[in-house]
Each structure stands twice: as C-alpha cells, then as structure tokens.
Amino acid sequence: MVSVDTWIGASPLYYAHAMGWLKEANIQILQADSIEENLNLYESNASDVVTGTEHEYFRLKKVYKDLIPVIIYDRSYGGDVILSNRTVQQLLQPDTKMSVYVELDTVGEDMLNYLIAEHNLSKEKMKIYNRSQEEIKRVGNPNSDDTFITVTYNPHDLALKKQGFKEIASSKNDHYVVVDSFMTSRQVYNQHKKQLQTLKTLMDKAVSAYHANPKSFYKAVKPYLNNVGFEEFEQMRANIRWINNEALSPVMKKKLEEINYPVDELIHLNEAMR
C-alpha cells in the first residue's frame, strides 16, 4: 500500500492508478488531503510506502531508523511557493508585522526559513499560524490592510492566486532543492524490491504517456488534483521536473549529499527493467 498526498508531481502515480496498471502490479494507493495526513497513514501502518520531500524523510527518520528513499520521482521547480499580499520590499519595512500561514514540520517550514534567510526578514515580526493546506487556501482578503504570507504548493496555490495573492519566492531557485520520493523501510525494500522496481517502471511509463498526449493524461489525473482545468494543470506541470529515465544530475546529487539525504538505494530505470 502506497500513501500519497495531493501534488502535481505525483500525477504519474495517479495516472498509473487510473489506467489500472497499479492493480495489475498488486499495488494500491491511499490519497491523503494533506502532508500530515499522508504521514499519519504511514505512522499508523495503513501504508507500507509513503511519499514525501526530504523534510518528511528526515522527520520520519527520527522514529523509523531504517527508512530509506527508494525512488525519487520529481524535483519541485516552482511547485512550492510563498505568496503574499505585499512585495518583499514592503515586508522589509521596519513597521511591517506579518501573519504567516504555513504547514509546520513540512517542507513549507523549510521554505519559510529559506525566505527569511534570503531576505534577512525579522521572524520577531511574524505571527506564525500552523494550518493545513485547506485552511491556508481560505486565508483573508489580499486587499486587507493586514500583511499576509502563505506557504503552499501546487495545486493549493491556485485558489490564493485567483484571490489576488502574488508569488514572492519559489523552489525554482537553484539554491534550494526540493525532491519527492517514495520512502519505505529497508525490510519492505528487501522483501518487495521487484514490486518497487515495477512501480518505478510504471512511473516512467506514465511520464511517457504524458509526453505522448498531455490532454489524455490530464483527463485521467484531473479527479486526483481537485478537478483543475487543463491550462492550470499545464501551468503546474511546468513547475516540476519529473525524474524518470535518467539518474540524478550531478548538481542535484551533490546538493542531496550535502544534507545527508541517502541516494545509494535509489532504483533507476535501467535497474527496474532488468
């Protein structure tokens, strides 16, 4: 059983499920509404494999010492965003107090810390609210006199952008690498390696299906992504890089090794097809 939250980067998994490929491989999925719910599914043993960024990996690793990432399937390339009703220059004004809405203990918290470090913002002037993505989407009016910062990701950012919130930072910045992977225990990896290799093959097959016919792919995954329109889907698709047929680039590998994120057990396409 694989648990996954709602995220554009996971679309190949949704597509493989919609096409019945996962069922043929005896792989089931549970889709969670939030990162927190996704982790809870793994922690409650409802799933054997869980998706997440490097933040979720290090968070789970504190409890599950034998946890390893086995398939990195995307890099967020603008898919994780920070929005505000003020510009960065306005946030830097001495009298600016900020209400910050973020899903704490997720990659969203990392994004916030990155913004603070990049622009030397004062954390003392921030009132930080720990909220789910569904709650963050309902943050107040961007035309308000109050200053809001929201930390979110595709597709949850679409509602906020429609309200008038503007992007002030994103994971497109090469100084900050956000990847998503399938993670599991070493025991499950050893017992089900062939099945995990099949999962890797199906993810790559789904990515190829997107490139062959984006509209057909979109129709299959639309229900998994809160029924976004095709143009919105394509905009979100541009904000991630699926890591399918190739191994990690030297730059990405170096950045992951710098934070002690293990890459030695990763299943690559050539291995999956053996």
Side-chain angles (χ1 to χ4, degrees):
M1 183 71 74
V2 178
S3 61
V4 57
D5 60 327
T6 304
W7 163 240
I8 180 67
S11 295
L13 181 67
Y14 308 148
Y15 186 83
H17 182 260
M19 292 296 100
W21 300 344
L22 295 184
K23 185 176 181 180
E24 291 173 5
N26 196 27
I27 299 171
Q28 297 175 293
I29 67 168
L30 290 171
Q31 188 175 9
D33 291 329
S34 67
I35 294 172
E36 193 67 33
E37 183 184 338
N38 188 25
L39 298 184
N40 287 341
L41 288 170
Y42 186 77
E43 290 167 337
S44 64
N45 296 317
S47 65
D48 310 293
V49 179
V50 62
T51 63
T53 69
E54 56 264 46
H55 185 103
E56 284 74 57
Y57 166 74
F58 287 115
R59 174 178 167 180
L60 289 172
K61 184 75 172 177
K62 293 174 184 175
V63 178
Y64 304 94
K65 303 300 183 184
D66 65 341
L67 188 76
I68 54 172
V70 293
I71 302 168
I72 292 180
Y73 58 89
D74 76 39
R75 175 193 170 179
S76 175
Y77 194 69
D80 289 274
V81 296
I82 300 178
L83 310 176
S84 181
N85 60 340
R86 300 288 184 268
T87 65
V88 170
Q89 289 71 27
Q90 289 172 320
L91 297 178
L92 288 168
Q93 296 304 309
D95 58 345
T96 300
K97 295 186 184 299
M98 298 159 265
S99 294
V100 180
Y101 294 82
V102 58
E103 200 171 357
L104 292 177
D105 208 6
T106 71
V107 73
E109 186 173 355
D110 293 346
M111 288 290 293
L112 176 62
N113 290 333
Y114 173 66
L115 179 77
I116 291 168
E118 183 179 27
H119 298 290
N120 198 26
L121 291 172
S122 171
K123 204 166 186 177
E124 286 70 34
K125 295 195 297 182
M126 295 179 176
K127 189 166 185 179
I128 298 175
Y129 299 92
N130 183 16
R131 297 289 186 269
S132 71
Q133 291 301 320
E134 287 301 314
E135 292 171 314
I136 290 172
K137 286 195 296 188
R138 297 192 292 271
V139 167
N141 184 349
N143 297 316
S144 166
D145 290 336
D146 296 327
T147 297
F148 297 108
I149 294 175
T150 63
V151 188
T152 185
Y153 54 92
N154 299 155
H156 304 288
D157 61 321
L158 296 178
L160 288 162
K161 287 179 177 177
K162 283 179 179 177
Q163 291 174 40
F165 284 92
K166 303 297 183 184
E167 185 176 305
I168 59 171
S170 85
S171 56
K172 192 171 285 189
N173 189 322
D174 276 337
H175 294 294
Y176 191 67
V177 173
V178 178
V179 297
D180 286 280
S181 70
F182 294 100
M183 303 173 284
T184 190
S185 68
R186 188 172 296 279
Q187 180 181 3
V188 169
Y189 174 76
N190 290 332
Q191 290 177 348
H192 299 278
K193 187 171 183 179
K194 194 71 177 174
Q195 205 170 15
L196 290 168
Q197 289 173 337
T198 299
L199 176 60
K200 170 61 179 166
T201 301
L202 295 178
M203 292 290 286
D204 292 316
K205 184 179 175 182
V207 171
S208 296
Y210 167 80
H211 291 299
N213 192 330
K215 281 201 171 180
S216 177
F217 182 96
Y218 156 74
K219 288 177 182 176
V221 303
K222 178 182 176 182
Y224 301 84
L225 293 169
N226 300 325
N227 294 306
V228 299
F230 180 66
E231 287 187 8
E232 291 174 326
F233 172 78
E234 285 291 88
Q235 289 169 8
M236 292 190 297
R237 229 298 298 166
N239 290 333
I240 54 102
R241 295 288 184 270
W242 283 320
I243 299 170
N244 54 321
N245 294 336
E246 70 284 344
L248 295 178
S249 70
V251 172
M252 286 184 64
K253 188 173 182 181
K254 182 175 184 293
K255 286 181 180 290
L256 292 174
E257 287 175 344
E258 284 174 358
I259 61 170
N260 297 315
Y261 185 86
V263 296
D264 295 338
E265 306 287 353
L266 294 175
I267 296 170
H268 300 300
L269 183 62
N270 56 349
E271 179 184 359
M273 296 182 70
R274 282 205 299 266

